[in-house]
């Protein structure tokens, strides 16, 4: 589809979420926020950068398509400038491409990839950009990262085409946005709410609460109130649940070097054991142990992973 379509016929309000390294964010903000201020004024787009001193931050661009792409172009040009200035003191002879990651709901990735990968192949060929859709959802979310690399112009054209697809195929179901600050933080559930433990503080996490509530709707369990008046889940209610998963799908649950299963364990708080393969059986036994809410959340995350594999999105 011609990019002019999105600039004229589809001039609607868009939201683009970029996942950026702290160093890149620092460059976009500039001294005393001067760079980002200039970008906001010249483009007319709203540019918000997530809080937190962590390795990754989310930069959100909101506005009409014309304003969004103006802001996006300015960000790309700034990253290109940074690469050029880093080359002056470098011995490298080839200039690396600008690389950017955008974050999109996993439910839209199927339309973006297309049947047998035809849509993403078409985008790669028509823009000249390299495009890679992550196989796994980002931690504690239902979003995936799309990595785009190339010249500034090819990246801008590529994002325009991605936006066209996303406007034509809206997200399905509930989207839990990725929040980098959650990385590595222990999560507790109390009173039906999710909290990330950071130091001595428990910080409410509305998106994880939503994820938890989705899991509870699938498999509701009573919430017990203990004698101290703190509404939580009675830890003595540990139970075990078993599920059977086909051998050919077990890999998508385990992930590379066990990364996916460890993420599900950490997010849910449940113990998950995968039995060794049994001769003659096409299935593997998975045993989940923990409090009912943890089991419920683990099941929800496993089923979400299986459904993404079934639709061909979990390409590792």
């Amino acid at each position: 589809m011609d990019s002019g379509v999105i600039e004229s016929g589809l001039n609607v309000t868009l939201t683009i979420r970029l996942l950026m390294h702290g160093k890149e964010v620092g460059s976009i903000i500039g001294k005393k926020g001067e760079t980002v201020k200039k970008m906001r004024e010249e483009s007319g787009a709203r540019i918000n950068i997530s809080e937190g001193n962590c390795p990754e931050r989310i930069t959100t661009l909101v506005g009409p398509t014309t304003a969004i792409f103006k802001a996006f172009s300015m960000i790309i040009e700034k990253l290109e400038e940074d690469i050029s200035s880093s080359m002056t003191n470098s011995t490298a002879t080839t200039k690396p491409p600008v690389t950017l990651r955008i974050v999109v709901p996993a439910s839209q990735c199927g339309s973006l990839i297309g049947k047998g990968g035809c849509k993403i192949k078409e985008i790669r060929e028509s823009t000249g950009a390299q495009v890679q859709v992550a196989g796994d959802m980002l931690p504690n979310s239902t979003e995936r990262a799309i990595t785009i690399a190339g010249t500034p112009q090819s990246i801008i054209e590529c994002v325009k085409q991605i936006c066209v697809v996303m406007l034509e195929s809206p997200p399905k179901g509930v989207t839990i946005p990725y929040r980098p600050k959650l990385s590595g933080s222990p999560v507790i559930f109390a009173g039906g709410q999710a909290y990330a433990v950071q130091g001595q503080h428990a910080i409410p996490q509305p998106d994880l609460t939503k994820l938890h509530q989705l899991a509870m709707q699938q498999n509701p369990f009573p919430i017990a109130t203990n004698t101290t008046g703190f509404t939580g889940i009675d830890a003595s209610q540990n139970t075990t649940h078993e599920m059977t998963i086909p051998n050919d799908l077990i890999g998508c649950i385990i992930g590379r070097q066990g990364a996916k299963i460890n993420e599900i364990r950490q997010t849910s708080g449940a113990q998950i054991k995968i039995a060794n393969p049994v001769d003659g059986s096409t299935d593997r036994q998975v045993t989940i142990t923990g409090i009912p809410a943890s089991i419920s959340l683990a099941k929800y995350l496993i089923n979400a992973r299986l459904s993404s594999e079934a639709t061909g999105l979990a390409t590792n």
Side-chain angles (χ1 to χ4, degrees):
M1 188 176 285
D2 187 274
S3 65
V5 174
I6 197 163
E7 287 170 337
S8 53
L10 287 175
N11 196 24
V12 293
T13 298
L14 266 184
T15 300
I16 297 181
R17 281 159 52 78
L18 308 172
L19 181 56
M20 305 179 89
H21 296 299
K23 191 178 174 185
E24 292 170 329
V25 170
S27 173
I28 299 304
I29 294 170
K31 280 181 186 166
K32 297 181 180 176
E34 284 170 11
T35 307
V36 76
K37 186 184 173 191
K38 184 185 175 194
M39 287 178 178
R40 286 177 181 132
E41 287 170 356
E42 290 189 15
S43 69
R46 294 206 305 275
I47 305 173
N48 295 316
I49 296 163
S50 65
E51 296 295 326
N53 182 21
C54 46
E56 292 180 324
R57 309 266 287 276
I58 296 280
T59 300
T60 308
L61 311 180
V62 183
T65 50
T66 47
I68 284 282
F69 293 123
K70 173 69 176 163
F72 188 75
S73 301
M74 292 176 83
I75 286 173
I76 296 288
E77 282 162 19
K78 185 73 183 82
L79 297 178
E80 168 83 348
E81 262 177 46
D82 293 345
I83 291 171
S84 298
S85 60
S86 69
M87 291 288 291
T88 54
N89 300 320
S90 167
T91 53
T93 50
T94 54
K95 187 176 173 182
V98 177
T99 302
L100 202 80
R101 288 174 298 167
I102 64 171
V103 179
V104 303
S107 60
Q108 291 180 293
C109 288
S111 304
L112 203 54
I113 292 166
K115 203 169 184 179
C118 64
K119 187 66 194 172
I120 201 152
K121 186 182 175 198
E122 180 193 310
I123 292 172
R124 285 182 186 128
E125 287 174 355
S126 64
T127 64
Q130 296 169 39
V131 192
Q132 191 66 44
V133 180
D136 292 340
M137 285 190 269
L138 290 157
N140 305 316
S141 79
T142 57
E143 293 191 307
R144 291 175 193 266
I146 299 174
T147 305
I148 306 165
T151 63
Q153 194 49 49
S154 68
I155 293 175
I156 292 161
E157 186 56 40
C158 179
V159 170
K160 285 181 181 179
Q161 293 199 24
I162 287 170
C163 287
V164 170
V165 175
M166 290 172 71
L167 285 167
E168 290 172 345
S169 309
K172 300 174 192 75
V174 179
T175 298
I176 314 287
Y178 175 54
R179 294 178 187 256
K181 65 182 176 186
L182 284 178
S183 303
S185 301
V187 176
I188 58 169
F189 295 97
Q193 301 294 314
Y195 299 86
V197 181
Q198 293 182 357
Q200 297 178 344
H201 304 285
I203 298 154
Q205 300 297 334
D207 299 316
L208 269 183
T209 299
K210 210 187 292 177
L211 189 62
H212 179 241
Q213 286 164 352
L214 276 171
M216 295 298 275
Q217 282 164 17
Q218 287 197 352
N219 194 1
F221 287 96
I223 303 289
T225 308
N226 61 23
T227 51
T228 61
F230 174 79
T231 307
I233 300 161
D234 187 350
S236 65
Q237 282 186 317
N238 265 13
T239 54
T240 298
H241 174 82
E242 291 190 342
M243 55 195 298
T244 308
I245 295 175
N247 277 335
D248 56 351
L249 291 177
I250 203 76
C252 81
I253 300 298
I254 296 169
R256 283 203 188 102
Q257 298 180 329
K260 179 50 60 178
I261 194 74
N262 286 338
E263 184 190 306
I264 294 172
R265 285 181 183 126
Q266 187 182 343
T267 305
S268 66
Q271 293 175 32
I272 306 170
K273 290 182 181 172
I274 299 172
N276 290 326
V278 177
D279 287 345
S281 172
T282 57
D283 295 319
R284 297 275 282 276
Q285 197 76 18
V286 176
T287 306
I288 308 169
T289 307
I291 56 176
S294 292
I295 291 175
S296 195
L297 189 55
K299 278 173 62 185
Y300 175 80
L301 293 167
I302 288 170
N303 285 327
R305 185 78 184 135
L306 289 171
S307 73
S308 70
E309 176 74 11
T311 55
L313 298 184
T315 50
N316 284 319

